Amino acid sequence: MKNILITGGAGFIGSHVIRRFVTNYPDYNIINLDSLTYAGNLENLRDIETFANYEFVKCDITDRAAIEALFTSKKIHSVIHLAAESHVDRSITNPIDFVMTNVVGTVVLLNAFKAHGNVTEGRFYHVSTDEVYGTLGDDGKFTEETPYDPNSPYSASKASSDHFVRAYHETFKLPMVISNCSNNYGSHQFPEKLIPLMIHNIKNNKPLPVYGKGENIRDWLWVNDHAKAIDVIFHSGKNGETYNIGGNNEWKNIDLVHKLCEIMDQKLGRDAGESAKLITYVTDRAGHDFRYAIDASKLENELGWKPSVAFDQGFEKTIDWYLENEAWLENVTSGNYQAYYNNMYTNR
Ligand code: NAD
Ligand code: DAU
């Protein structure tokens, strides 16, 4: 049995990656390491938590002693590292948390893997973001050669952790791979992010806070297609390489919100146009990147990955999931969520 350590498995993307690996690879022992911040929720993994090849370890990746102890007690074959502070708005109000988890935590894991991991057969996989490349104008796409130019504290912390992973490859010959992905959508996403936040607010007849003029553009990929790309890159990617992952599916925020409103009107039995009346333009995000778009041809041509789900289909599936899982949404929006929401959106 190979011990594969997946960090951040209780979060949005991590839970989809864990589910895929636990069910597809019975010869791997999957260790989910997560400190369960506000964004981590073991409810996301109820369906697989009793599988024999799955275990959960509650641990903070910045806790050097605990990480060392884990790596010395278990022979870790490989690491797939997703644990992070992931929300851009929170990075603007509290950058230090992003430095600690995303930069320091990544280096703690790199050191532990270098000292105790299987550096001859295994690898360190860093799951990163397209935001490290900065922002695009109306044309062009990010390729693996685009220079790093991060604009938010979040993207600066992810760029920094990418650089540490590369540096460990160059300096210590650590086997590693990095992927940089565009915006994900799907089930189990914390409702601070655009799509689940808007679904939650439409359901509750609350204002839909669109930043600025709603003209910023994002490239949306179904989360299970990201998990599939991670699987493919983990198994077939070349050490020392970076792979871009994207959906080739660009949407202006305001168009996406209108589409969501139309579908929600139908699903909630509302008159056409009713949900869209909730759209409220609010103060823009500071340093708001205008456009992200990914050229994923390296991944497609070299490793044969491509998105499997058309956006219309994936989007509707996603909306249905949130409507059918009201208890999940209620659970994650109780407690600290109210304080966060008031702080972020009152007087905006
Ligand atoms: P998320 O916020 O939903 O989940 C993050 C997980 O990490 C949570 O379970 C949380 O408890 C855990 N965590 C946070 N700090 C930790 C710490 N110090 N120690 C241990 N665990 C900790 O994030 P997500 O959207 O699932 O993103 C996962 C990864 O993918 C991140 O590295 C993010 O940068 C990257 N990414 C996200 C997207 C996206 O669209 N969401 C796109 C590209 C890349
Ligand atoms: O590109 C990949 C990145 O995508 C990931 O690395 C990040 O972890 C992930 O959070 C996401 O970042 P964004 O900032 O693009 O996602 P978010 O859902 O926060 O916002 C999407 C767009 O919607 C963005 O242009 C800001 C806008 N927005 C967001 C919120 C929360 C609004 O207009 N109103 C809102 O209330």
Side-chain angles (χ1 to χ4, degrees):
M1 268 312 230
K2 290 175 182 167
N3 282 326
I4 311 293
L5 181 70
I6 301 184
T7 70
F12 166 48
I13 300 170
S15 61
H16 290 274
V17 173
I18 295 261
R19 184 170 297 100
R20 182 175 181 99
F21 273 69
V22 166
T23 52
N24 288 2
Y25 301 104
D27 53 331
Y28 290 170
N29 183 47
I30 301 296
I31 304 166
N32 171 14
L33 185 144
D34 197 298
S35 64
L36 301 181
T37 66
Y38 76 92
N41 186 354
L42 290 177
E43 284 297 321
N44 297 355
L45 292 162
R46 280 288 173 250
D47 53 326
I48 56 98
E49 68 183 359
T50 55
F51 279 48
N53 64 336
Y54 171 76
E55 60 183 289
F56 173 68
V57 176
K58 186 173 186 306
C59 182
D60 192 310
I61 57 168
T62 63
D63 184 341
R64 288 164 67 180
I67 294 290
E68 279 286 314
L70 177 78
F71 273 78
T72 45
S73 68
K74 289 184 193 288
K75 185 80 189 154
I76 301 294
H77 180 274
S78 291
V79 177
I80 304 177
H81 175 36
L82 294 107
E85 287 293 338
S86 69
H87 192 38
V88 173
D89 290 322
R90 287 186 192 251
S91 82
I92 295 167
T93 48
N94 197 2
I96 287 289
D97 285 355
F98 286 70
V99 178
M100 291 311 294
T101 287
N102 300 359
V103 185
V104 177
T106 300
V107 178
V108 168
L109 286 170
L110 284 167
N111 279 337
F113 185 67
K114 176 166 88 66
H116 310 291
N118 187 341
V119 293
T120 46
E121 290 161 11
R123 60 171 31 160
F124 190 101
Y125 183 157
H126 188 226
V127 175
S128 192
T129 172
D130 60 355
E131 299 197 14
V132 297
Y133 299 122
T135 186
L136 291 165
D138 290 324
D139 305 314
K141 293 189 174 195
F142 298 133
T143 73
E144 288 79 3
E145 277 71 50
T146 304
Y148 276 31
D149 189 18
N151 291 316
S152 72
Y154 163 70
S155 53
S157 70
K158 291 296 290 189
S160 171
S161 51
D162 283 0
H163 288 321
F164 271 104
V165 175
R166 279 164 201 269
Y168 271 60
H169 178 68
E170 289 301 322
T171 309
F172 306 112
K173 307 296 168 232
L174 201 80
M176 69 76 175
V177 70
I178 297 173
S179 59
N180 298 86
C181 187
S182 63
N183 288 60
N184 286 210
Y185 70 93
S187 68
H188 302 92
Q189 186 171 29
F190 194 78
E192 62 190 353
K193 308 279 165 56
L194 181 73
I195 292 175
L197 182 117
M198 294 294 172
I199 294 175
H200 184 59
N201 284 13
I202 293 171
K203 244 184 65 189
N204 294 296
N205 271 307
K206 287 174 69 177
L208 308 181
V210 172
Y211 295 167
K213 294 181 178 159
E215 283 175 354
N216 302 63
I217 293 168
R218 296 292 181 266
D219 167 16
W220 294 93
L221 177 70
W222 194 41
V223 63
N224 288 301
D225 279 330
H226 187 187
K228 188 173 155 209
I230 290 172
D231 183 343
V232 169
I233 294 166
F234 177 69
H235 288 104
S236 312
K238 279 198 211 135
N239 279 333
E241 295 281 322
T242 283
Y243 296 87
N244 281 353
I245 311 171
N248 204 15
N249 176 44
E250 292 179 49
W251 283 84
K252 215 178 247 190
N253 291 338
I254 189 63
D255 294 342
L256 189 69
V257 172
H258 272 293
K259 183 179 175 72
L260 179 59
C261 288
E262 277 165 32
I263 301 175
M264 290 289 281
D265 280 344
Q266 288 162 18
K267 294 206 181 274
L268 297 174
R270 294 182 181 169
D271 291 340
E274 202 175 325
S275 298
K277 289 184 194 149
L278 298 168
I279 291 173
T280 310
Y281 293 94
V282 300
T283 307
D284 208 354
R285 173 184 279 173
H288 197 173
D289 285 336
F290 172 61
R291 173 171 169 259
Y292 305 141
I294 280 278
D295 177 348
S297 54
K298 176 177 175 184
L299 176 59
E300 291 171 0
N301 297 337
E302 290 184 14
L303 305 184
W305 172 91
K306 60 176 174 7
S308 69
V309 165
F311 183 64
D312 278 355
Q313 194 191 343
F315 198 46
E316 184 155 359
K317 253 187 176 175
T318 299
I319 296 166
D320 286 340
W321 187 86
Y322 288 97
L323 292 177
E324 285 159 14
N325 288 274
E326 212 161 307
W328 184 92
L329 210 48
E330 292 313 317
N331 183 26
V332 299
T333 52
S334 61
N336 286 341
Y337 182 82
Q338 299 308 332
Y340 163 79
Y341 189 87
N342 291 338
N343 184 40
M344 191 60 65
Y345 294 104
T346 308
N347 303 324
R348 185 164 192 144

